Amino acid sequence: MVFVLIVIAIFVAVSIYFFFKAESLQREVLLMKREVSSAKKENKVYIETVAIIGQRYEDIAKKKLNSLRENGNADAKELDLIAPMINNYAVIFTDSINGKGKLQAAVKKVYEGFQKGSYKKLANHISQSSTEVKRAWSSNNINGCIVLIEALMQKDKQK
């Protein structure tokens, strides 16, 4: 009889322990859910902000491109070559943010959607360009995206 009471007492003690442990774990899960929810909201705000920044950069780049075309100082063929990249700047910018190694893939997608074989022309143009342009292209990330377009526009301004 004493043995049965001891087993019942141990069972009750273990049950109470697991009950309180489950309660504390449930509180932790609720806290984590709240944190995840707030992190998702923050992430959404950051994504919207980055999209706005990309769009603003695209607007600035388009204005520079139009100004270069109007001035006539730049080579029209080179401007036509970089125009798809500038016209889709926000798309390339957003794709480049997703991780390293995305710039060239995003540019290729844009150029091949624009015209078959145009990506090869751009790659040849970049390979014959200045060291700054080559370095930005080979970095293959968001920073390279920004520097590449600025360098290509500056190169055309200087001509």
PDB file of all heavy atoms in Angstrom, residues 49-76:
ATOM      1  N   THR A  49      10.396  50.456 -48.029  1.00  0.00           N
ATOM      2  CA  THR A  49      11.364  51.551 -48.061  1.00  0.00           C
ATOM      3  C   THR A  49      12.404  51.327 -49.145  1.00  0.00           C
ATOM      4  O   THR A  49      12.739  52.248 -49.899  1.00  0.00           O
ATOM      5  CB  THR A  49      12.048  51.691 -46.692  1.00  0.00           C
ATOM      6  OG1 THR A  49      11.048  51.898 -45.693  1.00  0.00           O
ATOM      7  CG2 THR A  49      13.033  52.836 -46.679  1.00  0.00           C
ATOM      8  N   VAL A  50      12.917  50.109 -49.230  1.00  0.00           N
ATOM      9  CA  VAL A  50      13.912  49.790 -50.248  1.00  0.00           C
ATOM     10  C   VAL A  50      13.308  49.933 -51.644  1.00  0.00           C
ATOM     11  O   VAL A  50      13.967  50.424 -52.563  1.00  0.00           O
ATOM     12  CB  VAL A  50      14.485  48.374 -50.016  1.00  0.00           C
ATOM     13  CG1 VAL A  50      15.254  47.883 -51.213  1.00  0.00           C
ATOM     14  CG2 VAL A  50      15.362  48.366 -48.780  1.00  0.00           C
ATOM     15  N   ALA A  51      12.077  49.527 -51.811  1.00  0.00           N
ATOM     16  CA  ALA A  51      11.414  49.678 -53.110  1.00  0.00           C
ATOM     17  C   ALA A  51      11.291  51.156 -53.489  1.00  0.00           C
ATOM     18  O   ALA A  51      11.509  51.524 -54.643  1.00  0.00           O
ATOM     19  CB  ALA A  51      10.047  49.019 -53.079  1.00  0.00           C
ATOM     20  N   ILE A  52      10.973  51.984 -52.516  1.00  0.00           N
ATOM     21  CA  ILE A  52      10.870  53.428 -52.771  1.00  0.00           C
ATOM     22  C   ILE A  52      12.236  53.995 -53.142  1.00  0.00           C
ATOM     23  O   ILE A  52      12.356  54.797 -54.082  1.00  0.00           O
ATOM     24  CB  ILE A  52      10.278  54.155 -51.547  1.00  0.00           C
ATOM     25  CG1 ILE A  52       8.803  53.781 -51.386  1.00  0.00           C
ATOM     26  CG2 ILE A  52      10.440  55.666 -51.671  1.00  0.00           C
ATOM     27  CD1 ILE A  52       8.185  54.240 -50.084  1.00  0.00           C
ATOM     28  N   ILE A  53      13.277  53.575 -52.426  1.00  0.00           N
ATOM     29  CA  ILE A  53      14.630  54.046 -52.725  1.00  0.00           C
ATOM     30  C   ILE A  53      15.027  53.633 -54.146  1.00  0.00           C
ATOM     31  O   ILE A  53      15.570  54.441 -54.908  1.00  0.00           O
ATOM     32  CB  ILE A  53      15.636  53.506 -51.686  1.00  0.00           C
ATOM     33  CG1 ILE A  53      15.394  54.176 -50.337  1.00  0.00           C
ATOM     34  CG2 ILE A  53      17.073  53.727 -52.145  1.00  0.00           C
ATOM     35  CD1 ILE A  53      16.145  53.545 -49.190  1.00  0.00           C
ATOM     36  N   GLY A  54      14.754  52.375 -54.490  1.00  0.00           N
ATOM     37  CA  GLY A  54      15.059  51.904 -55.840  1.00  0.00           C
ATOM     38  C   GLY A  54      14.326  52.702 -56.896  1.00  0.00           C
ATOM     39  O   GLY A  54      14.894  53.047 -57.937  1.00  0.00           O
ATOM     40  N   GLN A  55      13.077  53.024 -56.636  1.00  0.00           N
ATOM     41  CA  GLN A  55      12.293  53.802 -57.589  1.00  0.00           C
ATOM     42  C   GLN A  55      12.858  55.222 -57.734  1.00  0.00           C
ATOM     43  O   GLN A  55      12.938  55.747 -58.841  1.00  0.00           O
ATOM     44  CB  GLN A  55      10.828  53.868 -57.136  1.00  0.00           C
ATOM     45  CG  GLN A  55       9.911  54.488 -58.147  1.00  0.00           C
ATOM     46  CD  GLN A  55       9.849  53.717 -59.444  1.00  0.00           C
ATOM     47  OE1 GLN A  55       9.777  52.506 -59.453  1.00  0.00           O
ATOM     48  NE2 GLN A  55       9.897  54.420 -60.548  1.00  0.00           N
ATOM     49  N   ARG A  56      13.271  55.810 -56.622  1.00  0.00           N
ATOM     50  CA  ARG A  56      13.852  57.163 -56.680  1.00  0.00           C
ATOM     51  C   ARG A  56      15.160  57.162 -57.459  1.00  0.00           C
ATOM     52  O   ARG A  56      15.420  58.052 -58.263  1.00  0.00           O
ATOM     53  CB  ARG A  56      14.081  57.722 -55.276  1.00  0.00           C
ATOM     54  CG  ARG A  56      12.820  57.936 -54.504  1.00  0.00           C
ATOM     55  CD  ARG A  56      11.962  59.025 -55.144  1.00  0.00           C
ATOM     56  NE  ARG A  56      10.700  59.090 -54.454  1.00  0.00           N
ATOM     57  CZ  ARG A  56       9.534  59.026 -55.039  1.00  0.00           C
ATOM     58  NH1 ARG A  56       9.449  58.931 -56.339  1.00  0.00           N
ATOM     59  NH2 ARG A  56       8.427  59.095 -54.348  1.00  0.00           N
ATOM     60  N   TYR A  57      16.006  56.158 -57.204  1.00  0.00           N
ATOM     61  CA  TYR A  57      17.253  56.043 -57.965  1.00  0.00           C
ATOM     62  C   TYR A  57      16.963  55.870 -59.447  1.00  0.00           C
ATOM     63  O   TYR A  57      17.669  56.418 -60.294  1.00  0.00           O
ATOM     64  CB  TYR A  57      18.094  54.858 -57.467  1.00  0.00           C
ATOM     65  CG  TYR A  57      19.032  55.168 -56.333  1.00  0.00           C
ATOM     66  CD1 TYR A  57      18.913  54.528 -55.107  1.00  0.00           C
ATOM     67  CD2 TYR A  57      20.067  56.087 -56.483  1.00  0.00           C
ATOM     68  CE1 TYR A  57      19.777  54.794 -54.061  1.00  0.00           C
ATOM     69  CE2 TYR A  57      20.941  56.359 -55.453  1.00  0.00           C
ATOM     70  CZ  TYR A  57      20.800  55.707 -54.249  1.00  0.00           C
ATOM     71  OH  TYR A  57      21.664  55.968 -53.234  1.00  0.00           O
ATOM     72  N   GLU A  58      15.933  55.094 -59.757  1.00  0.00           N
ATOM     73  CA  GLU A  58      15.562  54.906 -61.162  1.00  0.00           C
ATOM     74  C   GLU A  58      15.147  56.236 -61.787  1.00  0.00           C
ATOM     75  O   GLU A  58      15.557  56.563 -62.903  1.00  0.00           O
ATOM     76  CB  GLU A  58      14.424  53.896 -61.282  1.00  0.00           C
ATOM     77  CG  GLU A  58      14.000  53.636 -62.712  1.00  0.00           C
ATOM     78  CD  GLU A  58      12.915  52.579 -62.830  1.00  0.00           C
ATOM     79  OE1 GLU A  58      12.777  51.739 -61.934  1.00  0.00           O
ATOM     80  OE2 GLU A  58      12.206  52.617 -63.857  1.00  0.00           O
ATOM     81  N   ASP A  59      14.348  57.016 -61.075  1.00  0.00           N
ATOM     82  CA  ASP A  59      13.921  58.318 -61.594  1.00  0.00           C
ATOM     83  C   ASP A  59      15.123  59.224 -61.847  1.00  0.00           C
ATOM     84  O   ASP A  59      15.203  59.896 -62.878  1.00  0.00           O
ATOM     85  CB  ASP A  59      12.955  58.990 -60.620  1.00  0.00           C
ATOM     86  CG  ASP A  59      11.625  58.248 -60.494  1.00  0.00           C
ATOM     87  OD1 ASP A  59      11.312  57.429 -61.395  1.00  0.00           O
ATOM     88  OD2 ASP A  59      10.918  58.473 -59.491  1.00  0.00           O
ATOM     89  N   ILE A  60      16.057  59.240 -60.913  1.00  0.00           N
ATOM     90  CA  ILE A  60      17.262  60.075 -61.062  1.00  0.00           C
ATOM     91  C   ILE A  60      18.080  59.610 -62.259  1.00  0.00           C
ATOM     92  O   ILE A  60      18.542  60.436 -63.068  1.00  0.00           O
ATOM     93  CB  ILE A  60      18.101  60.035 -59.762  1.00  0.00           C
ATOM     94  CG1 ILE A  60      17.352  60.757 -58.643  1.00  0.00           C
ATOM     95  CG2 ILE A  60      19.477  60.648 -59.975  1.00  0.00           C
ATOM     96  CD1 ILE A  60      17.932  60.525 -57.258  1.00  0.00           C
ATOM     97  N   ALA A  61      18.261  58.293 -62.377  1.00  0.00           N
ATOM     98  CA  ALA A  61      19.040  57.751 -63.494  1.00  0.00           C
ATOM     99  C   ALA A  61      18.370  58.052 -64.836  1.00  0.00           C
ATOM    100  O   ALA A  61      19.049  58.368 -65.819  1.00  0.00           O
ATOM    101  CB  ALA A  61      19.236  56.245 -63.311  1.00  0.00           C
ATOM    102  N   LYS A  62      17.049  57.970 -64.889  1.00  0.00           N
ATOM    103  CA  LYS A  62      16.333  58.280 -66.132  1.00  0.00           C
ATOM    104  C   LYS A  62      16.509  59.747 -66.510  1.00  0.00           C
ATOM    105  O   LYS A  62      16.686  60.074 -67.695  1.00  0.00           O
ATOM    106  CB  LYS A  62      14.841  57.954 -65.987  1.00  0.00           C
ATOM    107  CG  LYS A  62      14.535  56.480 -66.085  1.00  0.00           C
ATOM    108  CD  LYS A  62      13.043  56.229 -65.950  1.00  0.00           C
ATOM    109  CE  LYS A  62      12.691  54.768 -66.041  1.00  0.00           C
ATOM    110  NZ  LYS A  62      11.252  54.529 -65.872  1.00  0.00           N
ATOM    111  N   LYS A  63      16.463  60.623 -65.515  1.00  0.00           N
ATOM    112  CA  LYS A  63      16.677  62.046 -65.797  1.00  0.00           C
ATOM    113  C   LYS A  63      18.081  62.284 -66.331  1.00  0.00           C
ATOM    114  O   LYS A  63      18.271  63.059 -67.277  1.00  0.00           O
ATOM    115  CB  LYS A  63      16.432  62.872 -64.542  1.00  0.00           C
ATOM    116  CG  LYS A  63      14.975  62.989 -64.189  1.00  0.00           C
ATOM    117  CD  LYS A  63      14.768  63.780 -62.916  1.00  0.00           C
ATOM    118  CE  LYS A  63      13.286  63.785 -62.532  1.00  0.00           C
ATOM    119  NZ  LYS A  63      13.056  64.455 -61.256  1.00  0.00           N
ATOM    120  N   LYS A  64      19.074  61.608 -65.742  1.00  0.00           N
ATOM    121  CA  LYS A  64      20.454  61.755 -66.222  1.00  0.00           C
ATOM    122  C   LYS A  64      20.577  61.237 -67.648  1.00  0.00           C
ATOM    123  O   LYS A  64      21.249  61.846 -68.478  1.00  0.00           O
ATOM    124  CB  LYS A  64      21.421  60.989 -65.320  1.00  0.00           C
ATOM    125  CG  LYS A  64      21.703  61.662 -64.009  1.00  0.00           C
ATOM    126  CD  LYS A  64      22.716  60.853 -63.209  1.00  0.00           C
ATOM    127  CE  LYS A  64      22.983  61.466 -61.861  1.00  0.00           C
ATOM    128  NZ  LYS A  64      23.940  60.661 -61.073  1.00  0.00           N
ATOM    129  N   LEU A  65      19.939  60.109 -67.922  1.00  0.00           N
ATOM    130  CA  LEU A  65      19.987  59.534 -69.266  1.00  0.00           C
ATOM    131  C   LEU A  65      19.353  60.486 -70.282  1.00  0.00           C
ATOM    132  O   LEU A  65      19.924  60.730 -71.347  1.00  0.00           O
ATOM    133  CB  LEU A  65      19.273  58.183 -69.292  1.00  0.00           C
ATOM    134  CG  LEU A  65      19.225  57.469 -70.640  1.00  0.00           C
ATOM    135  CD1 LEU A  65      20.620  57.009 -71.040  1.00  0.00           C
ATOM    136  CD2 LEU A  65      18.278  56.282 -70.579  1.00  0.00           C
ATOM    137  N   ASN A  66      18.198  61.041 -69.952  1.00  0.00           N
ATOM    138  CA  ASN A  66      17.537  61.992 -70.852  1.00  0.00           C
ATOM    139  C   ASN A  66      18.393  63.236 -71.047  1.00  0.00           C
ATOM    140  O   ASN A  66      18.475  63.757 -72.156  1.00  0.00           O
ATOM    141  CB  ASN A  66      16.158  62.365 -70.317  1.00  0.00           C
ATOM    142  CG  ASN A  66      15.178  61.210 -70.447  1.00  0.00           C
ATOM    143  OD1 ASN A  66      15.350  60.339 -71.285  1.00  0.00           O
ATOM    144  ND2 ASN A  66      14.164  61.202 -69.592  1.00  0.00           N
ATOM    145  N   SER A  67      19.025  63.687 -69.981  1.00  0.00           N
ATOM    146  CA  SER A  67      19.890  64.863 -70.091  1.00  0.00           C
ATOM    147  C   SER A  67      21.091  64.561 -70.987  1.00  0.00           C
ATOM    148  O   SER A  67      21.499  65.403 -71.788  1.00  0.00           O
ATOM    149  CB  SER A  67      20.311  65.298 -68.692  1.00  0.00           C
ATOM    150  OG  SER A  67      21.637  65.598 -68.601  1.00  0.00           O
ATOM    151  N   LEU A  68      21.660  63.365 -70.860  1.00  0.00           N
ATOM    152  CA  LEU A  68      22.782  62.984 -71.727  1.00  0.00           C
ATOM    153  C   LEU A  68      22.346  62.921 -73.196  1.00  0.00           C
ATOM    154  O   LEU A  68      23.089  63.327 -74.085  1.00  0.00           O
ATOM    155  CB  LEU A  68      23.359  61.637 -71.296  1.00  0.00           C
ATOM    156  CG  LEU A  68      24.168  61.622 -70.009  1.00  0.00           C
ATOM    157  CD1 LEU A  68      24.504  60.198 -69.606  1.00  0.00           C
ATOM    158  CD2 LEU A  68      25.435  62.433 -70.182  1.00  0.00           C
ATOM    159  N   ARG A  69      21.138  62.399 -73.413  1.00  0.00           N
ATOM    160  CA  ARG A  69      20.638  62.311 -74.792  1.00  0.00           C
ATOM    161  C   ARG A  69      20.381  63.694 -75.368  1.00  0.00           C
ATOM    162  O   ARG A  69      20.642  63.939 -76.543  1.00  0.00           O
ATOM    163  CB  ARG A  69      19.358  61.483 -74.837  1.00  0.00           C
ATOM    164  CG  ARG A  69      19.632  60.008 -74.757  1.00  0.00           C
ATOM    165  CD  ARG A  69      18.417  59.202 -75.053  1.00  0.00           C
ATOM    166  NE  ARG A  69      18.785  57.793 -75.126  1.00  0.00           N
ATOM    167  CZ  ARG A  69      17.977  56.796 -74.848  1.00  0.00           C
ATOM    168  NH1 ARG A  69      16.736  57.052 -74.495  1.00  0.00           N
ATOM    169  NH2 ARG A  69      18.389  55.558 -74.944  1.00  0.00           N
ATOM    170  N   GLU A  70      19.849  64.588 -74.549  1.00  0.00           N
ATOM    171  CA  GLU A  70      19.545  65.932 -75.027  1.00  0.00           C
ATOM    172  C   GLU A  70      20.812  66.728 -75.321  1.00  0.00           C
ATOM    173  O   GLU A  70      20.864  67.493 -76.284  1.00  0.00           O
ATOM    174  CB  GLU A  70      18.695  66.679 -73.999  1.00  0.00           C
ATOM    175  CG  GLU A  70      17.278  66.157 -73.920  1.00  0.00           C
ATOM    176  CD  GLU A  70      16.503  66.758 -72.762  1.00  0.00           C
ATOM    177  OE1 GLU A  70      17.061  67.615 -72.041  1.00  0.00           O
ATOM    178  OE2 GLU A  70      15.341  66.360 -72.576  1.00  0.00           O
ATOM    179  N   ASN A  71      21.835  66.553 -74.485  1.00  0.00           N
ATOM    180  CA  ASN A  71      23.088  67.286 -74.690  1.00  0.00           C
ATOM    181  C   ASN A  71      23.820  66.824 -75.927  1.00  0.00           C
ATOM    182  O   ASN A  71      24.530  67.610 -76.559  1.00  0.00           O
ATOM    183  CB  ASN A  71      24.005  67.144 -73.472  1.00  0.00           C
ATOM    184  CG  ASN A  71      23.453  67.873 -72.269  1.00  0.00           C
ATOM    185  OD1 ASN A  71      22.600  68.735 -72.395  1.00  0.00           O
ATOM    186  ND2 ASN A  71      23.942  67.510 -71.101  1.00  0.00           N
ATOM    187  N   GLY A  72      23.685  65.563 -76.270  1.00  0.00           N
ATOM    188  CA  GLY A  72      24.325  65.041 -77.469  1.00  0.00           C
ATOM    189  C   GLY A  72      25.815  64.803 -77.307  1.00  0.00           C
ATOM    190  O   GLY A  72      26.488  64.473 -78.266  1.00  0.00           O
ATOM    191  N   ASN A  73      26.350  64.993 -76.103  1.00  0.00           N
ATOM    192  CA  ASN A  73      27.782  64.785 -75.896  1.00  0.00           C
ATOM    193  C   ASN A  73      28.143  63.302 -75.845  1.00  0.00           C
ATOM    194  O   ASN A  73      29.264  62.926 -76.125  1.00  0.00           O
ATOM    195  CB  ASN A  73      28.235  65.430 -74.572  1.00  0.00           C
ATOM    196  CG  ASN A  73      28.069  66.939 -74.598  1.00  0.00           C
ATOM    197  OD1 ASN A  73      27.967  67.523 -75.661  1.00  0.00           O
ATOM    198  ND2 ASN A  73      28.035  67.543 -73.434  1.00  0.00           N
ATOM    199  N   ALA A  74      27.205  62.473 -75.456  1.00  0.00           N
ATOM    200  CA  ALA A  74      27.469  61.045 -75.279  1.00  0.00           C
ATOM    201  C   ALA A  74      27.183  60.288 -76.560  1.00  0.00           C
ATOM    202  O   ALA A  74      26.425  60.727 -77.424  1.00  0.00           O
ATOM    203  CB  ALA A  74      26.611  60.507 -74.146  1.00  0.00           C
ATOM    204  N   ASP A  75      27.786  59.126 -76.662  1.00  0.00           N
ATOM    205  CA  ASP A  75      27.588  58.240 -77.803  1.00  0.00           C
ATOM    206  C   ASP A  75      26.182  57.637 -77.722  1.00  0.00           C
ATOM    207  O   ASP A  75      25.827  57.008 -76.733  1.00  0.00           O
ATOM    208  CB  ASP A  75      28.657  57.144 -77.773  1.00  0.00           C
ATOM    209  CG  ASP A  75      28.587  56.236 -78.994  1.00  0.00           C
ATOM    210  OD1 ASP A  75      27.885  56.588 -79.959  1.00  0.00           O
ATOM    211  OD2 ASP A  75      29.248  55.177 -78.966  1.00  0.00           O
ATOM    212  N   ALA A  76      25.389  57.828 -78.755  1.00  0.00           N
ATOM    213  CA  ALA A  76      23.997  57.363 -78.755  1.00  0.00           C
ATOM    214  C   ALA A  76      23.907  55.842 -78.650  1.00  0.00           C
ATOM    215  O   ALA A  76      23.005  55.312 -78.003  1.00  0.00           O
ATOM    216  CB  ALA A  76      23.288  57.842 -80.010  1.00  0.00           C
TER     217      ALA A  76
END
